[in-house]
Amino acid sequence: MNVSSRARTGWRLLKGPEPWTRRRIAGEAALALALALMAGAVGLFGGDPLRITAVALAVVVLSLLRRSLPVGVLLAAAALSVPASEATPLLLVAAWSAGRRIIGAGRALVAFSAAFVIYAVLGLITLWPIPQLFLIAVFSTLFFLAVAVVPGLTSRYWSQRRTLLRAMQEHNAQLLRERAMVAGQARLRERQRIAQDMHDSLGHQLALISVHTGALEVDPELTGRQREAVGVLRQASVAAMHELREVVGILRDGVEAPVGPDGARPAPRGTAGIEALVTAARAAGNDVGLRGSGEPRPLAAAADHAAYRIVQEALTNAYKHAPGAPITVELRYEPDSFVVEVVNGIVDRAAADQAGEVVSGGQGLTGLHERARLVGGMVHTGPTDDGGFRVAGVLPYGTADAATFVDAPDDFRQQSPALPLGDGGPVVDWNIAEKELGMSGRSRGGGVALGCGIAVGAVVLLAVAVGVGLFFLIGSADKGMIDPSAYDRIKVGTSEAEVRKELPSGDTVLVSGLAGKGPAEPEGAQCLVLMSSETGDNVNTEPVFRFCFKDGKLIEKKSYDVAR
Protein backbone atom coordinates (compact mmCIF):
# COMPACT_ATOMS: atom_id res chain seq x y z
CA MET A 1 0.00 0.00 0.00
CA ASN A 2 1.53 3.33 -1.07
CA VAL A 3 1.45 6.60 0.82
CA SER A 4 -1.54 8.03 -1.05
CA SER A 5 -3.64 4.92 -0.35
CA ARG A 6 -2.79 5.10 3.32
CA ALA A 7 -3.67 8.78 3.34
CA ARG A 8 -7.04 8.09 1.74
CA THR A 9 -7.72 5.28 4.19
CA GLY A 10 -6.81 7.51 7.11
CA TRP A 11 -9.02 10.29 5.79
CA ARG A 12 -11.99 7.92 5.40
CA LEU A 13 -11.40 6.73 8.96
CA LEU A 14 -11.30 10.30 10.22
CA LYS A 15 -14.21 11.48 8.10
CA GLY A 16 -16.69 8.86 9.23
CA PRO A 17 -20.21 8.52 7.80
CA GLU A 18 -21.12 12.21 8.15
CA PRO A 19 -20.07 14.91 5.65
CA TRP A 20 -17.48 17.47 6.72
CA THR A 21 -19.13 20.81 6.11
CA ARG A 22 -17.43 24.10 6.84
CA ARG A 23 -19.47 24.47 9.99
CA ARG A 24 -18.48 21.02 11.21
CA ILE A 25 -14.80 21.59 10.41
CA ALA A 26 -14.82 24.83 12.39
CA GLY A 27 -16.68 23.20 15.28
CA GLU A 28 -14.40 20.15 15.41
CA ALA A 29 -11.28 22.29 15.28
CA ALA A 30 -12.56 24.58 18.03
CA LEU A 31 -13.52 21.64 20.26
CA ALA A 32 -10.21 19.84 19.77
CA LEU A 33 -8.29 23.04 20.47
CA ALA A 34 -10.33 23.75 23.61
CA LEU A 35 -9.78 20.22 24.95
CA ALA A 36 -6.06 20.42 24.21
CA LEU A 37 -5.75 23.81 25.93
CA MET A 38 -7.59 22.53 29.01
CA ALA A 39 -5.35 19.48 29.16
CA GLY A 40 -2.24 21.65 28.75
CA ALA A 41 -3.37 24.17 31.37
CA VAL A 42 -4.02 21.45 33.95
CA GLY A 43 -0.84 19.60 32.99
CA LEU A 44 1.33 22.66 33.66
CA PHE A 45 1.21 21.80 37.36
CA GLY A 46 3.11 18.60 36.55
CA GLY A 47 6.01 20.51 35.08
CA ASP A 48 6.97 18.03 32.30
CA PRO A 49 6.65 19.76 28.88
CA LEU A 50 7.11 16.50 26.94
CA ARG A 51 4.30 14.82 28.85
CA ILE A 52 2.02 17.85 28.43
CA THR A 53 2.61 17.90 24.68
CA ALA A 54 2.00 14.16 24.31
CA VAL A 55 -1.28 14.32 26.25
CA ALA A 56 -2.47 17.37 24.26
CA LEU A 57 -1.75 15.64 20.94
CA ALA A 58 -3.53 12.49 22.09
CA VAL A 59 -6.54 14.57 23.12
CA VAL A 60 -6.66 16.27 19.70
CA VAL A 61 -6.45 12.98 17.77
CA LEU A 62 -9.05 11.22 19.90
CA SER A 63 -11.39 14.20 19.68
CA LEU A 64 -11.28 14.13 15.88
CA LEU A 65 -11.83 10.35 15.77
CA ARG A 66 -14.73 10.19 18.23
CA ARG A 67 -17.42 10.30 15.49
CA SER A 68 -15.98 7.58 13.26
CA LEU A 69 -14.67 5.33 16.10
CA PRO A 70 -16.96 5.99 19.07
CA VAL A 71 -16.19 2.75 20.92
CA GLY A 72 -12.43 2.90 20.45
CA VAL A 73 -12.22 6.55 21.45
CA LEU A 74 -14.34 5.90 24.56
CA LEU A 75 -12.02 3.10 25.69
CA ALA A 76 -8.89 5.14 24.88
CA ALA A 77 -10.24 8.20 26.72
CA ALA A 78 -11.04 6.09 29.79
CA ALA A 79 -7.51 4.66 29.75
CA LEU A 80 -5.89 8.06 29.18
CA SER A 81 -7.81 9.85 31.93
CA VAL A 82 -6.33 7.65 34.68
CA PRO A 83 -2.60 8.49 34.35
CA ALA A 84 -3.40 11.92 32.87
CA SER A 85 -6.27 13.45 34.82
CA GLU A 86 -6.11 16.53 32.60
CA ALA A 87 -7.73 14.42 29.83
CA THR A 88 -10.95 14.00 31.84
CA PRO A 89 -12.91 16.54 29.69
CA LEU A 90 -12.13 14.33 26.69
CA LEU A 91 -13.77 11.39 28.47
CA LEU A 92 -16.97 13.43 28.89
CA VAL A 93 -17.06 14.40 25.20
CA ALA A 94 -16.22 10.86 24.07
CA ALA A 95 -19.00 9.43 26.27
CA TRP A 96 -21.50 11.87 24.77
CA SER A 97 -20.55 10.88 21.21
CA ALA A 98 -20.46 7.16 22.03
CA GLY A 99 -23.89 7.21 23.63
CA ARG A 100 -25.32 8.83 20.51
CA ARG A 101 -23.53 6.82 17.83
CA ILE A 102 -23.18 3.27 19.15
CA ILE A 103 -25.90 1.21 17.48
CA GLY A 104 -27.75 -1.16 19.77
CA ALA A 105 -28.33 -1.03 23.52
CA GLY A 106 -26.30 -4.21 24.06
CA ARG A 107 -23.24 -2.82 22.30
CA ALA A 108 -23.52 0.43 24.23
CA LEU A 109 -23.73 -1.46 27.54
CA VAL A 110 -20.67 -3.54 26.66
CA ALA A 111 -18.70 -0.47 25.54
CA PHE A 112 -19.39 1.56 28.69
CA SER A 113 -18.82 -1.47 30.93
CA ALA A 114 -15.45 -2.12 29.26
CA ALA A 115 -14.54 1.55 29.66
CA PHE A 116 -15.37 1.38 33.37
CA VAL A 117 -13.33 -1.81 33.83
CA ILE A 118 -10.33 -0.18 32.10
CA TYR A 119 -10.73 2.94 34.22
CA ALA A 120 -11.02 0.97 37.47
CA VAL A 121 -8.18 -1.49 36.73
CA LEU A 122 -5.74 1.22 35.67
CA GLY A 123 -6.72 3.23 38.75
CA LEU A 124 -5.94 0.28 41.02
CA ILE A 125 -2.61 -0.36 39.28
CA THR A 126 -1.61 3.30 39.50
CA LEU A 127 -2.51 3.77 43.20
CA TRP A 128 -1.53 0.33 44.50
CA PRO A 129 -1.05 -0.38 47.37
CA ILE A 130 -4.30 1.28 48.48
CA PRO A 131 -4.93 1.37 52.23
CA GLN A 132 -8.67 2.19 51.88
CA LEU A 133 -9.77 0.18 48.87
CA PHE A 134 -13.53 0.53 49.46
CA LEU A 135 -13.34 4.32 49.66
CA ILE A 136 -11.34 4.58 46.44
CA ALA A 137 -13.70 2.16 44.66
CA VAL A 138 -16.77 4.18 45.66
CA PHE A 139 -15.15 7.47 44.72
CA SER A 140 -13.95 6.14 41.34
CA THR A 141 -17.36 4.68 40.52
CA LEU A 142 -19.16 7.93 41.32
CA PHE A 143 -16.64 9.90 39.30
CA PHE A 144 -17.01 7.63 36.26
CA LEU A 145 -20.80 7.79 36.53
CA ALA A 146 -20.72 11.58 36.57
CA VAL A 147 -18.18 12.02 33.77
CA ALA A 148 -19.05 9.16 31.40
CA VAL A 149 -22.27 7.27 32.13
CA VAL A 150 -24.60 10.24 32.71
CA PRO A 151 -23.56 12.09 29.50
CA GLY A 152 -23.68 8.85 27.51
CA LEU A 153 -27.17 7.89 28.68
CA THR A 154 -28.49 11.41 28.18
CA SER A 155 -27.02 11.66 24.69
CA ARG A 156 -28.51 8.30 23.78
CA TYR A 157 -31.94 9.33 25.08
CA TRP A 158 -31.80 12.61 23.14
CA SER A 159 -30.78 10.88 19.92
CA GLN A 160 -33.47 8.21 20.21
CA ARG A 161 -36.09 10.83 21.01
CA ARG A 162 -35.21 12.83 17.89
CA THR A 163 -35.36 9.65 15.80
CA LEU A 164 -38.76 8.77 17.26
CA LEU A 165 -40.11 12.27 16.61
CA ARG A 166 -38.85 12.18 13.04
CA ALA A 167 -40.54 8.82 12.49
CA MET A 168 -43.75 10.18 14.01
CA GLN A 169 -43.64 13.19 11.70
CA GLU A 170 -43.02 11.07 8.62
CA HIS A 171 -45.85 8.72 9.59
CA ASN A 172 -48.14 11.66 10.30
CA ALA A 173 -47.27 13.28 6.97
CA GLN A 174 -48.10 10.01 5.22
CA LEU A 175 -51.45 9.90 7.00
CA LEU A 176 -52.14 13.48 5.93
CA ARG A 177 -51.31 12.67 2.32
CA GLU A 178 -53.57 9.62 2.39
CA ARG A 179 -56.35 11.60 4.00
CA ALA A 180 -55.99 14.34 1.38
CA MET A 181 -56.13 11.74 -1.37
CA VAL A 182 -59.29 10.18 0.06
CA ALA A 183 -60.92 13.59 0.50
CA GLY A 184 -59.89 14.57 -3.03
CA GLN A 185 -61.42 11.44 -4.48
CA ALA A 186 -64.63 12.06 -2.55
CA ARG A 187 -64.78 15.66 -3.73
CA LEU A 188 -64.12 14.61 -7.31
CA ARG A 189 -66.95 12.08 -7.23
CA GLU A 190 -69.32 14.64 -5.74
CA ARG A 191 -68.31 17.26 -8.28
CA GLN A 192 -68.88 14.81 -11.11
CA ARG A 193 -72.33 13.99 -9.73
CA ILE A 194 -73.20 17.69 -9.46
CA ALA A 195 -71.87 18.35 -12.95
CA GLN A 196 -73.96 15.54 -14.37
CA ASP A 197 -77.10 16.82 -12.61
CA MET A 198 -76.49 20.37 -13.84
CA HIS A 199 -75.90 19.16 -17.38
CA ASP A 200 -79.02 16.99 -17.44
CA SER A 201 -81.41 19.48 -15.84
CA LEU A 202 -80.24 23.02 -16.60
CA GLY A 203 -78.85 22.08 -20.00
CA HIS A 204 -82.20 20.70 -21.07
CA GLN A 205 -84.12 23.76 -19.88
CA LEU A 206 -81.71 26.23 -21.47
CA ALA A 207 -81.81 24.31 -24.74
CA LEU A 208 -85.61 24.56 -24.77
CA ILE A 209 -85.44 28.29 -24.07
CA SER A 210 -82.92 28.80 -26.87
CA VAL A 211 -85.00 26.81 -29.39
CA HIS A 212 -88.31 28.52 -28.58
CA THR A 213 -86.83 32.02 -28.51
CA GLY A 214 -85.09 31.34 -31.81
CA ALA A 215 -88.39 30.27 -33.37
CA LEU A 216 -90.20 33.21 -31.81
CA GLU A 217 -87.61 35.67 -33.09
CA VAL A 218 -88.56 34.89 -36.72
CA ASP A 219 -92.30 35.08 -36.09
CA PRO A 220 -93.68 37.66 -38.63
CA GLU A 221 -96.42 38.78 -36.28
CA LEU A 222 -93.93 40.29 -33.77
CA THR A 223 -93.07 43.96 -33.88
CA GLY A 224 -89.49 45.16 -34.19
CA ARG A 225 -89.28 45.99 -30.50
CA GLN A 226 -90.61 42.58 -29.50
CA ARG A 227 -88.31 40.81 -31.92
CA GLU A 228 -85.34 42.70 -30.41
CA ALA A 229 -86.35 41.66 -26.89
CA VAL A 230 -86.70 38.03 -27.96
CA GLY A 231 -83.24 38.25 -29.54
CA VAL A 232 -81.82 39.41 -26.23
CA LEU A 233 -83.44 36.40 -24.53
CA ARG A 234 -81.99 34.03 -27.11
CA GLN A 235 -78.51 35.50 -26.74
CA ALA A 236 -78.81 35.27 -22.97
CA SER A 237 -79.80 31.61 -23.21
CA VAL A 238 -76.86 30.88 -25.53
CA ALA A 239 -74.48 32.67 -23.16
CA ALA A 240 -75.97 30.71 -20.26
CA MET A 241 -75.33 27.50 -22.18
CA HIS A 242 -71.69 28.45 -22.66
CA GLU A 243 -71.32 29.34 -18.98
CA LEU A 244 -73.00 26.09 -17.97
CA ARG A 245 -70.61 24.15 -20.21
CA GLU A 246 -67.67 25.95 -18.64
CA VAL A 247 -68.86 25.33 -15.09
CA VAL A 248 -69.59 21.68 -15.82
CA GLY A 249 -66.12 21.27 -17.29
CA ILE A 250 -64.52 22.80 -14.22
CA LEU A 251 -66.58 20.67 -11.86
CA ARG A 252 -65.94 17.48 -13.78
CA ASP A 253 -62.32 17.82 -14.87
CA GLY A 254 -61.02 20.89 -13.06
CA VAL A 255 -60.33 22.71 -16.36
CA GLU A 256 -62.21 25.23 -18.44
CA ALA A 257 -64.52 23.98 -21.15
CA PRO A 258 -62.91 23.71 -24.59
CA VAL A 259 -64.13 25.47 -27.68
CA GLY A 260 -67.54 24.18 -28.75
CA PRO A 261 -68.15 22.16 -31.90
CA ASP A 262 -69.61 25.25 -33.53
CA GLY A 263 -66.38 27.16 -32.92
CA ALA A 264 -68.00 29.42 -30.33
CA ARG A 265 -65.78 30.46 -27.47
CA PRO A 266 -67.00 31.37 -23.98
CA ALA A 267 -67.46 35.07 -23.41
CA PRO A 268 -64.67 36.79 -21.43
CA ARG A 269 -65.11 36.31 -17.69
CA GLY A 270 -63.00 39.25 -16.52
CA THR A 271 -62.85 43.02 -16.73
CA ALA A 272 -62.76 42.62 -20.52
CA GLY A 273 -66.26 41.15 -20.40
CA ILE A 274 -67.82 43.91 -18.26
CA GLU A 275 -68.54 46.08 -21.31
CA ALA A 276 -70.42 43.16 -22.90
CA LEU A 277 -72.52 42.82 -19.73
CA VAL A 278 -73.42 46.51 -19.90
CA THR A 279 -74.25 46.25 -23.60
CA ALA A 280 -76.53 43.27 -23.00
CA ALA A 281 -78.27 45.14 -20.18
CA ARG A 282 -78.89 48.15 -22.44
CA ALA A 283 -80.23 45.88 -25.17
CA ALA A 284 -82.73 44.53 -22.64
CA GLY A 285 -84.08 48.06 -22.14
CA ASN A 286 -82.20 49.06 -18.98
CA ASP A 287 -80.59 52.44 -18.47
CA VAL A 288 -76.99 51.41 -17.71
CA GLY A 289 -73.99 53.72 -17.81
CA LEU A 290 -70.32 52.67 -17.84
CA ARG A 291 -67.49 54.92 -16.64
CA GLY A 292 -63.81 54.26 -16.19
CA SER A 293 -60.89 56.16 -14.65
CA GLY A 294 -57.20 55.61 -14.14
CA GLU A 295 -54.68 53.75 -16.24
CA PRO A 296 -55.77 50.13 -16.82
CA ARG A 297 -53.56 47.56 -15.15
CA PRO A 298 -53.67 43.75 -15.26
CA LEU A 299 -55.24 41.86 -12.38
CA ALA A 300 -54.56 38.38 -11.19
CA ALA A 301 -56.77 35.80 -12.88
CA ALA A 302 -58.88 35.15 -9.77
CA ALA A 303 -59.29 38.87 -9.02
CA ASP A 304 -60.14 39.60 -12.67
CA HIS A 305 -62.86 36.95 -12.60
CA ALA A 306 -64.14 38.29 -9.25
CA ALA A 307 -64.55 41.77 -10.76
CA TYR A 308 -66.67 40.33 -13.57
CA ARG A 309 -68.86 38.41 -11.14
CA ILE A 310 -69.36 41.49 -8.93
CA VAL A 311 -70.71 43.50 -11.87
CA GLN A 312 -72.81 40.56 -13.09
CA GLU A 313 -74.39 39.94 -9.68
CA ALA A 314 -74.97 43.65 -9.01
CA LEU A 315 -76.72 44.09 -12.39
CA THR A 316 -78.84 40.99 -11.74
CA ASN A 317 -79.90 42.35 -8.33
CA ALA A 318 -80.77 45.69 -9.93
CA TYR A 319 -82.90 43.93 -12.55
CA LYS A 320 -84.73 41.96 -9.86
CA HIS A 321 -85.20 44.49 -7.07
CA ALA A 322 -85.08 47.85 -8.88
CA PRO A 323 -86.53 47.37 -12.36
CA GLY A 324 -86.50 50.54 -14.40
CA ALA A 325 -84.02 52.34 -12.09
CA PRO A 326 -80.90 53.86 -13.72
CA ILE A 327 -77.70 51.91 -13.13
CA THR A 328 -74.13 53.20 -13.12
CA VAL A 329 -71.10 50.92 -13.46
CA GLU A 330 -67.77 52.55 -12.59
CA LEU A 331 -64.31 50.99 -12.93
CA ARG A 332 -61.48 52.81 -11.14
CA TYR A 333 -57.83 51.82 -11.42
CA GLU A 334 -56.41 53.21 -8.18
CA PRO A 335 -52.64 53.22 -7.45
CA ASP A 336 -52.91 50.35 -4.99
CA SER A 337 -56.13 48.54 -5.93
CA PHE A 338 -58.86 48.10 -8.47
CA VAL A 339 -62.33 49.42 -7.49
CA VAL A 340 -65.53 48.30 -9.20
CA GLU A 341 -68.76 50.03 -8.18
CA VAL A 342 -72.34 49.41 -9.32
CA VAL A 343 -75.02 51.85 -8.13
CA ASN A 344 -78.68 51.80 -9.01
CA GLY A 345 -81.08 54.68 -8.45
CA ILE A 346 -84.45 54.87 -6.74
CA VAL A 347 -86.82 52.01 -7.44
CA ASP A 348 -89.68 52.69 -9.82
CA ARG A 349 -92.63 51.25 -7.87
CA ALA A 350 -94.86 51.03 -10.94
CA ALA A 351 -92.27 49.03 -12.83
CA ALA A 352 -91.64 46.85 -9.79
CA ASP A 353 -95.34 46.06 -9.44
CA GLN A 354 -95.54 45.27 -13.15
CA ALA A 355 -92.55 42.93 -12.93
CA GLY A 356 -94.25 40.93 -10.19
CA GLU A 357 -92.53 38.65 -7.70
CA VAL A 358 -88.88 37.82 -8.46
CA VAL A 359 -87.12 34.54 -7.82
CA SER A 360 -83.94 34.90 -5.73
CA GLY A 361 -81.66 32.40 -4.13
CA GLY A 362 -80.61 34.89 -1.46
CA GLN A 363 -76.92 33.90 -1.67
CA GLY A 364 -75.64 36.23 -4.39
CA LEU A 365 -74.16 38.99 -2.21
CA THR A 366 -72.83 36.47 0.30
CA GLY A 367 -71.03 34.72 -2.54
CA LEU A 368 -69.51 38.02 -3.65
CA HIS A 369 -68.09 38.67 -0.17
CA GLU A 370 -66.54 35.19 -0.08
CA ARG A 371 -65.17 35.44 -3.63
CA ALA A 372 -63.50 38.79 -2.87
CA ARG A 373 -62.12 37.51 0.42
CA LEU A 374 -60.44 34.55 -1.24
CA VAL A 375 -58.46 36.85 -3.57
CA GLY A 376 -57.44 39.22 -0.76
CA GLY A 377 -60.09 41.89 -1.43
CA MET A 378 -63.41 42.97 0.03
CA VAL A 379 -66.95 43.90 -1.05
CA HIS A 380 -69.23 46.56 0.44
CA THR A 381 -73.00 46.46 -0.09
CA GLY A 382 -75.62 48.84 1.23
CA PRO A 383 -78.12 51.61 0.48
CA THR A 384 -77.08 55.03 -0.79
CA ASP A 385 -78.11 58.39 0.65
CA ASP A 386 -80.66 59.01 -2.10
CA GLY A 387 -82.46 55.70 -1.56
CA GLY A 388 -80.60 53.60 -4.12
CA PHE A 389 -78.31 50.64 -3.60
CA ARG A 390 -74.58 50.27 -4.10
CA VAL A 391 -72.25 47.30 -4.55
CA ALA A 392 -68.54 48.17 -4.41
CA GLY A 393 -65.59 45.81 -4.60
CA VAL A 394 -61.92 46.53 -3.83
CA LEU A 395 -59.55 44.00 -5.40
CA PRO A 396 -55.73 43.73 -5.46
CA TYR A 397 -53.66 43.80 -8.64
CA GLY A 398 -51.23 41.05 -9.74
CA THR A 399 -49.65 38.71 -7.20
CA ALA A 400 -46.26 40.40 -7.36
CA ASP A 401 -47.47 43.71 -5.90
CA ALA A 402 -50.85 42.70 -4.57
CA ALA A 403 -52.16 44.66 -1.61
CA THR A 404 -53.96 42.11 0.52
CA PHE A 405 -56.87 43.66 2.39
CA VAL A 406 -58.31 40.53 3.99
CA ASP A 407 -56.31 37.50 5.14
CA ALA A 408 -57.97 34.18 4.52
CA PRO A 409 -57.87 32.27 7.82
CA ASP A 410 -56.66 28.71 8.00
CA ASP A 411 -59.96 27.07 8.73
CA PHE A 412 -58.58 23.59 9.14
CA ARG A 413 -55.37 24.40 11.05
CA GLN A 414 -53.65 21.34 9.69
CA GLN A 415 -50.19 22.75 9.25
CA SER A 416 -47.45 23.62 11.70
CA PRO A 417 -46.23 27.24 11.63
CA ALA A 418 -42.71 25.99 10.83
CA LEU A 419 -41.15 22.98 9.16
CA PRO A 420 -39.43 21.06 11.99
CA LEU A 421 -36.88 19.10 9.98
CA GLY A 422 -35.39 21.74 7.75
CA ASP A 423 -36.28 22.67 4.21
CA GLY A 424 -38.68 20.33 2.52
CA GLY A 425 -39.72 18.60 5.74
CA PRO A 426 -43.12 16.96 6.06
CA VAL A 427 -46.23 18.93 6.88
CA VAL A 428 -47.29 18.21 10.43
CA ASP A 429 -50.87 17.82 11.59
CA TRP A 430 -50.93 20.28 14.48
CA ASN A 431 -53.84 18.45 16.09
CA ILE A 432 -51.79 15.29 16.69
CA ALA A 433 -49.27 15.19 19.54
CA GLU A 434 -49.02 18.98 19.45
CA LYS A 435 -46.59 19.37 22.32
CA GLU A 436 -44.28 16.56 21.27
CA LEU A 437 -44.17 17.51 17.60
CA GLY A 438 -43.87 21.18 18.49
CA MET A 439 -40.78 20.50 20.55
CA SER A 440 -39.04 19.11 17.48
CA GLY A 441 -39.34 22.52 15.85
CA ARG A 442 -37.01 23.80 18.52
CA SER A 443 -34.58 20.89 18.32
CA ARG A 444 -31.49 23.08 18.19
CA GLY A 445 -32.54 25.24 21.15
CA GLY A 446 -33.75 22.14 22.99
CA GLY A 447 -30.41 20.44 22.36
CA VAL A 448 -28.55 23.38 23.88
CA ALA A 449 -30.86 23.39 26.91
CA LEU A 450 -30.50 19.62 27.25
CA GLY A 451 -26.71 19.90 27.03
CA CYS A 452 -26.70 22.58 29.73
CA GLY A 453 -28.91 20.39 31.91
CA ILE A 454 -26.56 17.45 31.43
CA ALA A 455 -23.58 19.59 32.33
CA VAL A 456 -25.32 20.80 35.49
CA GLY A 457 -26.32 17.25 36.40
CA ALA A 458 -22.80 15.96 35.83
CA VAL A 459 -21.34 18.80 37.92
CA VAL A 460 -23.81 18.10 40.74
CA LEU A 461 -23.04 14.37 40.70
CA LEU A 462 -19.34 15.11 40.57
CA ALA A 463 -19.67 17.53 43.47
CA VAL A 464 -21.44 14.82 45.46
CA ALA A 465 -18.63 12.38 44.67
CA VAL A 466 -15.98 14.92 45.63
CA GLY A 467 -17.85 15.74 48.83
CA VAL A 468 -18.04 12.08 49.82
CA GLY A 469 -14.38 11.61 49.03
CA LEU A 470 -13.33 14.69 50.98
CA PHE A 471 -15.43 13.59 53.94
CA PHE A 472 -13.62 10.25 54.13
CA LEU A 473 -10.23 11.79 53.38
CA ILE A 474 -10.55 14.41 56.10
CA GLY A 475 -11.66 11.74 58.54
CA SER A 476 -8.61 9.61 57.68
CA ALA A 477 -6.10 12.47 57.55
CA ASP A 478 -4.98 11.84 61.13
CA LYS A 479 -3.96 8.29 60.16
CA GLY A 480 -1.23 9.50 57.79
CA MET A 481 -0.01 12.84 59.18
CA ILE A 482 2.20 13.89 62.12
CA ASP A 483 3.58 17.14 63.45
CA PRO A 484 7.34 17.88 62.98
CA SER A 485 7.70 18.11 66.78
CA ALA A 486 6.55 14.49 67.10
CA TYR A 487 9.16 13.49 64.56
CA ASP A 488 11.86 15.22 66.62
CA ARG A 489 10.82 13.47 69.88
CA ILE A 490 11.24 9.99 68.48
CA LYS A 491 14.79 8.61 68.87
CA VAL A 492 16.54 5.97 66.82
CA GLY A 493 16.94 2.72 68.77
CA THR A 494 13.56 2.95 70.45
CA SER A 495 11.50 -0.24 70.34
CA GLU A 496 9.09 -0.56 67.45
CA ALA A 497 6.11 -1.02 69.78
CA GLU A 498 6.75 2.25 71.63
CA VAL A 499 7.29 4.16 68.39
CA ARG A 500 4.12 2.85 66.78
CA LYS A 501 2.13 3.89 69.87
CA GLU A 502 3.14 7.49 69.20
CA LEU A 503 2.71 7.36 65.43
CA PRO A 504 -0.49 7.04 63.39
CA SER A 505 -1.12 3.78 61.52
CA GLY A 506 -0.63 5.27 58.04
CA ASP A 507 -3.70 3.35 56.83
CA THR A 508 -4.99 6.08 54.54
CA VAL A 509 -5.00 6.81 50.85
CA LEU A 510 -3.21 10.10 51.49
CA VAL A 511 0.15 8.37 51.85
CA SER A 512 -0.32 5.89 49.01
CA GLY A 513 2.38 6.33 46.40
CA LEU A 514 4.86 8.05 48.77
CA ALA A 515 6.86 4.91 49.47
CA GLY A 516 9.88 4.37 47.27
CA LYS A 517 10.24 8.01 46.22
CA GLY A 518 12.88 9.00 48.73
CA PRO A 519 16.35 7.66 49.66
CA ALA A 520 16.99 3.94 49.48
CA GLU A 521 15.45 2.00 52.35
CA PRO A 522 17.70 -0.08 54.65
CA GLU A 523 17.93 -3.69 53.56
CA GLY A 524 15.46 -5.96 55.32
CA ALA A 525 13.66 -3.08 57.03
CA GLN A 526 9.96 -2.23 57.02
CA CYS A 527 9.33 1.48 56.61
CA LEU A 528 6.36 3.70 57.46
CA VAL A 529 6.00 6.90 55.45
CA LEU A 530 3.87 9.72 56.88
CA MET A 531 2.99 13.23 55.73
CA SER A 532 3.88 16.38 57.57
CA SER A 533 1.17 18.60 59.04
CA GLU A 534 3.07 21.62 57.80
CA THR A 535 3.47 22.60 54.15
CA GLY A 536 6.85 22.91 52.52
CA ASP A 537 8.50 25.90 50.91
CA ASN A 538 7.99 24.57 47.37
CA VAL A 539 4.47 24.07 46.03
CA ASN A 540 5.67 21.23 43.78
CA THR A 541 6.99 19.08 46.65
CA GLU A 542 5.53 17.45 49.72
CA PRO A 543 7.51 17.08 53.02
CA VAL A 544 7.31 13.53 54.43
CA PHE A 545 8.77 11.56 57.36
CA ARG A 546 9.99 7.99 57.05
CA PHE A 547 10.50 5.53 59.93
CA CYS A 548 12.25 2.19 59.24
CA PHE A 549 12.06 -0.78 61.64
CA LYS A 550 14.12 -3.96 61.86
CA ASP A 551 14.36 -6.65 64.53
CA GLY A 552 11.75 -4.82 66.67
CA LYS A 553 13.62 -1.52 66.81
CA LEU A 554 13.66 1.82 64.98
CA ILE A 555 16.89 1.75 63.00
CA GLU A 556 16.37 4.88 60.86
CA LYS A 557 14.24 7.99 60.54
CA LYS A 558 14.48 10.48 57.69
CA SER A 559 12.79 13.71 56.62
CA TYR A 560 12.76 14.62 52.90
CA ASP A 561 10.58 16.10 50.16
CA VAL A 562 8.87 14.19 47.37
CA ALA A 563 7.39 15.56 44.16
CA ARG A 564 3.63 15.96 44.19
Side-chain angles (χ1 to χ4, degrees), residues 157-225:
Y157 161 76
W158 181 42
S159 177
Q160 291 179 349
R161 177 179 174 276
R162 289 189 62 188
T163 303
L164 178 61
L165 286 177
R166 185 178 291 109
M168 289 175 59
Q169 290 169 346
E170 293 177 356
H171 179 67
N172 187 63
Q174 180 65 27
L175 291 179
L176 282 179
R177 288 191 293 268
E178 293 177 358
R179 186 174 67 183
M181 292 174 60
V182 172
Q185 292 292 333
R187 285 195 300 268
L188 182 59
R189 288 194 298 268
E190 183 64 17
R191 287 168 60 177
Q192 290 176 346
R193 186 189 65 79
I194 295 174
Q196 187 65 38
D197 290 344
M198 290 178 62
H199 180 271
D200 294 343
S201 59
L202 295 181
H204 175 71
Q205 300 297 333
L206 290 175
L208 288 177
I209 294 174
S210 178
V211 171
H212 285 290
T213 54
L216 188 60
E217 188 177 9
V218 298
D219 191 341
E221 296 182 2
L222 294 180
T223 64
R225 177 61 180 168

Side-chain angles (χ1 to χ4, degrees), residues 445-514:
V448 173
L450 184 61
C452 294
I454 292 169
V456 172
V459 169
V460 170
L461 187 58
L462 185 59
V464 172
V466 172
V468 173
L470 290 177
F471 175 78
F472 284 102
L473 289 178
I474 293 174
S476 63
D478 294 338
K479 298 180 180 180
M481 186 178 299
I482 63 171
D483 192 78
S485 59
Y487 171 80
D488 295 334
R489 289 198 304 269
I490 298 176
K491 305 298 182 182
V492 176
T494 307
S495 65
E496 181 178 358
E498 294 179 2
V499 173
R500 289 192 178 275
K501 288 181 181 180
E502 297 186 14
L503 296 178
S505 62
D507 187 15
T508 176
V509 70
L510 295 176
V511 298
S512 60
L514 297 180

